[in-house]
Amino acid sequence: RTVAATNMNLESSRSHSVFTLEVSQLSDSHSAVRKSKISLIDLAGSERVERTGATGQRLKEGQIINKSLLTLGRCISALAKKPTKKDGSKKKVSAPFRESTLTLL
C-alpha cells in the first residue's frame, strides 16, 4: 500500500489493494475438489485536483486512480444492464475490463 500527503489528507492512499483468498476442499473419497475464490478490494478514493493541490507525481497518481475508478464504474454499469434486442432476444454485454489493471483482475 502506498500513501502520500495531499492538501486533503496527510496519508492519502495512492493505490488500490487486492487481497485474493482461494480455498480448495478435497472430498472424503478424494474424487472431487471444491474450489472457492473471493477477492477483497480496498479502493483508493477519487480526487479533485483543485482540492488536493496535487502536482507532479501525485497528480499522475491521482489521474490513474480516477481513471481506474471510472473504468470500474463503467464495467459495473455494463454488467448491471439487461440489454435486449427489438425481437426480445438478449444482446451480448460488452464491459471495458481491459481498460484498467484494476478491472482486468
Side-chain angles (χ1 to χ4, degrees):
R1 181 167 179 250
T2 303
V3 294
T6 68
N7 289 349
M8 296 289 294
N9 189 343
L10 290 176
E11 291 187 5
S12 176
S13 178
R14 310 308 298 164
S15 60
H16 304 304
S17 299
V18 180
F19 177 78
T20 303
L21 178 65
E22 294 183 30
V23 178
S24 298
Q25 178 184 16
L26 190 60
S27 68
D28 291 336
S29 63
H30 300 284
S31 61
V33 177
R34 283 186 181 179
K35 293 184 177 184
S36 296
K37 180 178 174 181
I38 185 169
S39 295
L40 305 172
I41 303 170
D42 175 26
L43 299 173
S46 63
E47 300 183 342
R48 299 215 184 271
V49 176
E50 307 84 37
R51 295 179 80 187
T52 62
T55 59
Q57 185 63 29
R58 299 291 161 261
L59 178 60
K60 272 187 175 178
E61 290 169 349
Q63 290 170 334
I64 293 168
I65 290 167
N66 288 346
K67 181 184 176 199
S68 64
L69 291 173
L70 176 65
T71 304
L72 177 62
R74 290 174 54 216
C75 288
I76 291 169
S77 292
L79 294 173
K81 289 180 184 173
K82 295 186 180 183
T84 55
K85 296 180 183 177
K86 288 181 182 178
D87 64 4
S89 63
K90 292 184 179 180
K91 283 185 186 178
K92 189 173 183 179
V93 175
S94 179
F97 293 112
R98 294 187 182 113
E99 291 184 16
S100 169
T101 305
L102 174 66
T103 54
L104 193 57
L105 294 174

